[in-house]
Amino acid sequence: TIHTNDAASALERLTQMGIPRFVVANTMKGVLAQRLARRLCPECKKEVDLSPEERAVFEANNVKVPAGTKIFVPVGCEKCKNSGYKGRCGMHELLILNDAIRLQLLTDPSSIPVKNIAMKGGMRTIAMDGLEKVLLGLTTVKEVLGGRLGEYRAEQRRTGLMLAPHRIGASG
């Protein structure tokens, strides 16, 4: 287990731990990153319209939201001890190494270019997977953002930009 925020960062972390780049590039087949989010209680969750801020999170992460889409919010009942949540659901990101990623690792193992190459090849990020689970009614946008929807709103007002969850609070 390597504790990182995404799959590409795990590859960079291995090189930071002293494993030669060529070993990482030639021996790794793939990296699975995961994070847990609280699962909405199926007994009491309430259907609502997407807020403009929530819609912006979907747009920033290239997750299409059909017109008229509703999402769910926590309410609270006896079954969930009035928390609105019962259990957890996983959000996942699978990075499969291809020749382009292996070449990038040999020249520069930084996570950002590796992640960009993987996404061009079709990789879905943890945030994208989490937002799909919001559309399925399993969790909330706030849970996908790690409880940082308020930070997202403040950063969006400050910069005027729609930011992906991993950019919230980042400098530069």
Side-chain angles (χ1 to χ4, degrees), residues 21 99-110 113-114 117:
R21 292 177 188 180
D99 289 342
I101 292 171
R102 291 179 199 290
L103 182 59
Q104 179 64 43
L105 288 170
L106 290 171
T107 54
D108 175 15
S110 299
V114 169
I117 294 167

Side-chain angles (χ1 to χ4, degrees), residues 37-120:
R38 293 183 295 174
R39 182 185 294 263
L40 285 166
C41 175
E43 303 295 324
C44 65
K45 65 183 179 182
K46 178 181 162 191
E47 192 174 52
V48 298
D49 291 321
L50 273 171
S51 72
E53 294 90 355
E54 290 165 330
R55 187 169 296 280
V57 173
F58 281 90
E59 289 172 8
N61 287 281
N62 298 314
V63 176
K64 301 209 182 316
V65 181
T69 296
K70 304 271 189 184
I71 60 170
F72 291 89
V73 295
V75 175
C77 67
E78 284 185 24
K79 299 264 185 188
C80 63
K81 299 181 181 165
N82 291 313
S83 70
Y85 297 95
K86 189 161 180 67
R88 306 245 180 215
C89 65
M91 299 180 290
H92 304 91
E93 172 179 300
L94 179 61
L95 187 155
I96 304 291
L97 277 76
N98 59 26
D99 289 342
I101 292 171
R102 291 179 199 290
L103 182 59
Q104 179 64 43
L105 288 170
L106 290 171
T107 54
D108 175 15
S110 299
S111 64
I112 293 172
V114 169
K115 185 173 188 170
N116 289 338
I117 294 167
M119 289 179 68
K120 284 179 187 165

Side-chain angles (χ1 to χ4, degrees), residues 23-35:
V23 172
V24 175
N26 292 316
T27 60
M28 296 294 294
K29 303 274 187 226
V31 180
L32 177 67
Q34 66 179 1
R35 193 167 73 75

